[in-house]
Amino acid sequence: MENKILYNWKSWWRAFNTHNFFAIKLGVSILLVALAFRILFNRSLELSPVSETPFLESVGPLISVYSETRADHISPQGKAKCDLFDGDWITDKTEPFYTNSTCEFIEQHQNCMKNGRPDRDYLYWRWKPRGCDLPRLDPWRFLDLMRNKSWALIGDSISRNHVQSLLCMLSVVEKPDHVYHDEGYKNRRWVFPSYNFSLSVLWSPFLAQAAIFEDINGVASSEIELHLDKLDKNWTRQYNDLDYMILSSGKWFVKGSIYYENDQILGCHFCPKRNITEVEIKFAYRKVIRNVFSFIIASKHKGIIFYRASTPDHFENGEWFSGGICERKLPARHGEFELKELNRILRDVELEEFEKVSPKAAENGVNLKLLDVNPLSLLRPDAHPGPYRFFQPFAKDKNAKVINDCLHWCLPGPIDTWNDLLMEMLVGG
């Protein structure tokens, strides 16, 4: 049968060449083009990143599309790079890279799905910078770029939240080995063996030397003793061994602290029972940030160093200790949320000090970048754990009074976008 078809085709084609029927020739050409288009179109549907199912059990084929369609953050006119941090959250039905059932690195307090959060709309938004597109992180390309390299995220529990997100996104390629943790699991390291890539989280909430007197629930027995002129050796002693790092601080400066300089008491913040001069948070934070940046510039480090801006919280009708909640189900509109006074102070210091130090960093050949996740995070009051930092908080009583977490982020969630931004800043300049 197959030979007969081939014979008939050859006979027809000889007749076609013999009689040179122009109209038939044109028709056949159109038919072949249409057939090719149909094949390509069907193939494109097979590669579509949008799934019909609620969550993907296997996301390999979905993510591989992004390695082929990546675009740098160039404006449509191709003239200048856009501001990655100025944009809007737009709806996007693309499924997340991972879920609570596919990633083992999500800690309980950020595991909103497992803990019973009933809504899922917070998962289906994408950050869209104005004037360009932000592709999703390509984990294969990221790991290939990071072959034989080391990363560390240095800071407080938001850095721990962030490293979980990055681990979940990269583990769709390869499960990392957990090679180190300290007694309290605050300092940890993982290695992706096929790439010899290490990823660490280092606990340093002030980035400066501090004695902290808190129990596991954050209840303090005394004020923190913070040395404004001494950087924390937990990260500085590892600094030269790291190729890339993300440093951050801020939130812990609101806690009651006694400030030291040259091992002498300089003042304090929120220490009403002590006869010590009250010093503004702005002063203390600026002192520490300047020391951090001075250390970085003098080091002439040859990797890439990101300073991540402090992130906002979204407690409404109180704070975490006074009944504050975060029950919103949609991103906020621009202008709907303003930074609280303390968050604004921290942000002003960060931006001012970074702007001052940037020329000197460039002069010394230090690649220092600002990961300014503050504006896009401010618009996401819908994506915190809220009461679902606890497992099934309303299982026994639907009206139970539960402490809300309106500071950290559900996983998966908008914190995954921070990794998209990192990837773009690495490959897009």
Side-chain angles (χ1 to χ4, degrees), residues 100-381:
N100 63 309
S101 62
T102 62
C103 181
E104 64 183 65
F105 303 104
I106 306 174
E107 294 184 4
Q108 178 184 345
H109 294 325
Q110 285 84 53
N111 201 336
C112 302
M113 292 180 185
K114 182 178 180 180
N115 291 343
R117 178 168 174 168
D119 63 302
R120 295 288 185 269
D121 289 345
Y122 68 93
L123 297 172
Y124 299 103
W125 296 88
R126 175 172 64 87
W127 180 247
K128 174 67 171 67
R130 293 172 184 169
C132 64
D133 285 316
L134 177 64
R136 295 175 89 183
L137 176 139
D138 181 336
W140 285 272
R141 188 179 186 194
F142 184 93
L143 285 171
D144 196 51
L145 289 171
M146 294 301 120
R147 197 177 293 275
N148 301 318
K149 302 294 184 183
S150 58
W151 271 72
L153 280 71
I154 304 164
D156 55 22
S157 58
I158 300 294
S159 294
R160 188 163 65 238
N161 197 177
H162 187 186
V163 83
Q164 294 169 47
S165 166
L166 187 54
L167 283 166
C168 285
M169 295 178 83
L170 297 180
S171 63
V172 302
V173 178
E174 178 178 68
K175 181 181 175 181
D177 297 328
H178 189 195
V179 297
Y180 170 78
H181 66 82
D182 63 3
E183 184 177 356
Y185 283 79
K186 289 189 173 182
N187 298 281
R188 305 174 73 177
R189 184 168 68 253
W190 297 263
V191 172
F192 291 81
S194 297
Y195 298 86
N196 191 31
F197 167 59
S198 69
L199 177 61
S200 304
V201 60
L202 302 179
W203 176 254
S204 186
F206 293 98
L207 301 179
Q209 181 180 315
I212 300 171
F213 307 97
E214 288 187 358
D215 64 18
I216 193 171
N217 296 312
V219 178
S221 59
S222 183
E223 294 88 357
I224 295 164
E225 296 177 357
L226 178 61
H227 293 262
L228 303 180
D229 56 342
K230 297 180 181 180
L231 296 181
D232 185 1
K233 291 181 181 179
N234 192 41
W235 69 271
T236 58
R237 68 188 173 204
Q238 301 183 55
Y239 178 85
N240 289 324
D241 296 326
L242 297 168
D243 298 295
Y244 300 85
M245 64 199 83
I246 307 171
L247 296 109
S248 59
S249 187
K251 288 297 183 183
W252 278 64
F253 280 83
V254 306
K255 294 175 178 278
S257 303
I258 299 173
Y259 300 141
Y260 288 80
E261 197 167 46
N262 296 320
D263 294 322
Q264 301 295 316
I265 292 178
L266 181 65
C268 75
H269 166 65
F270 192 63
C271 54
K273 296 181 181 180
R274 296 180 181 269
N275 186 24
I276 302 176
T277 303
E278 180 76 17
V279 175
E280 290 184 341
I281 291 175
K282 181 190 295 186
F283 172 84
Y285 193 42
R286 194 180 299 276
K287 274 267 187 182
V288 171
I289 294 301
R290 281 183 178 175
N291 286 340
V292 169
F293 286 154
S294 295
F295 175 84
I296 291 171
I297 290 172
S299 71
K300 297 187 178 180
H301 193 279
K302 296 306 178 185
I304 298 180
I305 304 164
F306 297 90
Y307 192 86
R308 178 182 56 74
S310 54
T311 57
D313 61 72
H314 292 98
F315 289 98
E316 296 186 90
N317 304 317
E319 295 298 326
W320 71 270
F321 54 82
S322 59
I325 58 173
C326 42
E327 296 181 337
R328 300 199 181 212
K329 300 296 187 290
L330 295 171
R333 296 183 297 271
H334 284 278
E336 188 174 351
F337 268 91
E338 297 292 337
L339 285 176
K340 297 175 183 178
E341 180 65 16
L342 286 175
N343 290 328
R344 185 190 59 76
I345 289 171
L346 297 174
R347 177 163 176 76
D348 287 347
V349 169
E350 291 165 350
L351 296 182
E352 290 165 7
E353 295 304 316
F354 187 86
E355 184 177 0
K356 289 176 184 177
V357 78
S358 291
K360 186 66 175 176
E363 181 182 326
N364 283 14
V366 175
N367 199 345
L368 178 63
K369 297 175 180 286
L370 180 67
L371 181 62
D372 190 10
V373 297
N374 186 290
L376 58 115
S377 301
L378 183 62
L379 300 176
R380 294 307 305 270

Side-chain angles (χ1 to χ4, degrees), residues 47 49 59-71 97 135-144 173 423 427:
L47 293 175
V59 293
L62 179 152
I63 302 170
S64 66
V65 175
Y66 291 89
S67 65
E68 299 173 1
T69 60
R70 252 205 50 80
F97 272 78
R136 295 175 89 183
L137 176 139
D138 181 336
W140 285 272
R141 188 179 186 194
F142 184 93
L143 285 171
D144 196 51
V173 178
M423 181 75 177
V427 301

